[in-house]
Amino acid sequence: MTTLLYDGSFDGLFTAIFEVFEYRYQDVEICSRENFQQENMFAEIHEVITQQEKSERVLNKLEQNIGKPGMNQLLKVFLSEDSEMENLILSAVKQSIKHPEENVLQNFADNDILKISKICKSVSRERHRMTAFVRFEKLQDDIYFAKIDPDFNVLPLIRKHFKDRYADQKWMIYDLRRHYGLFYDLENCEFFYPDEKLDLNQYQQKFHEEEKKYQTLWQSYFTKTNIKERKNTKLHIQHVPKRYWKYLTEKW
């Protein structure tokens, strides 16, 4: 068994997939350095250095074989942060190269493809929940702020929805679990990465007076509807590079 270790990034993963074919590895697995735990001291380790050129060569070939809808599915698998996501994507790439004339992501008789389909459905449901239940709070500087804690890394998937829906106001959405967010300034909507975790007590001190009036009512609502706290598993965090947004259905 050869284990390819990569930096956890999107381009890093597809660089690793390129090198699986480049070095003709057969018995192989891909794992991020952050999540790697070596159980076999004799296993061969291949260190992957992220190279955009290699990544894009795989992605361009993949798009030819499975189209944008298929690319969208694999991006959702990546954003799911599932423990098997690297090797599920590798399996899909291998099958698409072996059968370029087929829609391999519709072959549900294959266990890996079936898992990909189930993961995509789960990620899509979580995306819908975030677009439906995000709660904005007005701050003193007239920026509307929302905090979320989704099961999957869905910020890249909800970006366009909120940019279109709230185009006339400045807003921020912050992922408490992954410690990054989106900021819209009436012109641009970009990801931001604070050096430190968000201090919720500090930001609550910046509530607009109008917002404070609604806090009691809102807290009463959540007392009746709040879901039991989800398991806070340590998850890998990487958003999809901007040049790959074209593959997201939400960006068409």
Side-chain angles (χ1 to χ4, degrees):
M1 169 72 74
T2 299
T3 301
L4 277 71
L5 297 184
Y6 76 109
D7 60 8
S9 69
F10 188 76
D11 279 324
L13 172 57
F14 281 89
T15 300
I17 291 174
F18 181 95
E19 294 186 356
V20 168
F21 293 95
E22 181 180 17
Y23 296 104
R24 299 182 180 180
Y25 290 131
Q26 299 299 320
D27 187 15
V28 64
E29 66 175 359
I30 301 174
C31 184
S32 69
R33 294 186 183 92
E34 179 182 358
N35 295 330
F36 177 62
Q37 294 180 347
Q38 186 166 0
E39 298 178 355
N40 182 357
M41 63 180 295
F42 299 106
E44 180 183 350
I45 303 299
H46 175 93
E47 292 282 350
V48 176
I49 299 175
T50 298
Q51 298 180 53
Q52 184 180 330
E53 301 80 13
K54 289 185 176 181
S55 173
E56 291 189 344
R57 283 181 63 180
V58 177
L59 288 162
N60 290 337
K61 181 64 175 178
L62 196 55
E63 184 178 1
Q64 292 176 17
N65 293 349
I66 64 176
K68 284 188 177 181
M71 298 295 295
N72 176 264
Q73 286 183 270
L74 296 188
L75 283 174
K76 286 181 178 178
V77 175
F78 179 80
L79 293 173
S80 75
E81 303 165 322
D82 187 276
S83 60
E84 297 182 82
M85 69 91 171
E86 290 97 347
N87 296 300
L88 289 173
I89 293 174
L90 173 60
S91 176
V93 173
K94 285 182 174 180
Q95 293 186 52
S96 74
I97 292 175
K98 186 176 181 180
H99 304 288
E101 71 287 350
E102 300 178 12
N103 188 351
V104 296
L105 293 179
Q106 296 299 314
N107 179 22
F108 302 125
D110 182 270
N111 288 333
D112 289 343
I113 300 303
L114 184 59
K115 288 178 182 178
I116 286 173
S117 177
K118 290 180 178 179
I119 289 172
C120 288
K121 289 178 180 178
S122 296
V123 172
S124 294
R125 282 195 296 268
E126 189 72 344
R127 174 194 176 274
H128 175 72
R129 293 189 189 104
M130 292 301 102
T131 59
F133 300 118
V134 165
R135 158 69 167 138
F136 283 101
E137 299 163 317
K138 190 176 182 180
L139 304 182
Q140 294 172 7
D141 54 6
D142 291 331
I143 294 177
Y144 288 83
F145 178 87
K147 54 186 182 295
I148 61 174
D149 185 19
D151 287 340
F152 309 112
N153 185 14
V154 296
L155 266 183
L157 302 179
I158 64 176
R159 174 186 174 275
K160 185 177 186 298
H161 170 85
F162 285 100
K163 182 176 182 293
D164 292 345
R165 185 171 181 179
Y166 299 105
D168 60 345
Q169 61 191 43
K170 295 181 180 180
W171 51 262
M172 299 170 63
I173 302 176
Y174 184 78
D175 187 327
L176 294 169
R177 188 177 303 196
R178 296 160 186 85
H179 313 299
Y180 83 109
L182 280 170
F183 175 60
Y184 175 66
D185 63 2
L186 300 180
E187 294 183 3
N188 301 304
C189 185
E190 303 293 346
F191 294 101
F192 66 91
Y193 302 85
D195 293 332
E196 299 179 358
K197 294 181 180 180
L198 180 71
D199 186 337
L200 292 180
N201 291 327
Q202 185 178 28
Y203 108 84
Q204 286 171 347
Q205 295 173 7
K206 298 180 180 180
F207 278 155
H208 192 282
E209 285 300 318
E210 294 177 6
E211 183 64 35
K212 293 178 182 178
K213 296 177 183 179
Y214 293 100
Q215 291 302 304
T216 301
L217 179 62
W218 192 246
Q219 289 167 5
S220 176
Y221 167 79
F222 268 105
T223 298
K224 297 178 181 179
T225 62
N226 194 25
I227 301 172
K228 184 178 180 180
E229 184 177 2
R230 296 165 177 166
K231 184 179 179 180
N232 187 17
T233 306
K234 183 178 181 181
L235 297 174
H236 177 69
I237 309 160
Q238 284 291 344
H239 75 277
V240 178
K242 191 172 183 178
R243 61 185 175 280
Y244 301 128
W245 289 357
K246 64 180 181 178
Y247 297 125
L248 295 172
T249 302
E250 294 77 9
K251 292 293 296 177
W252 297 359

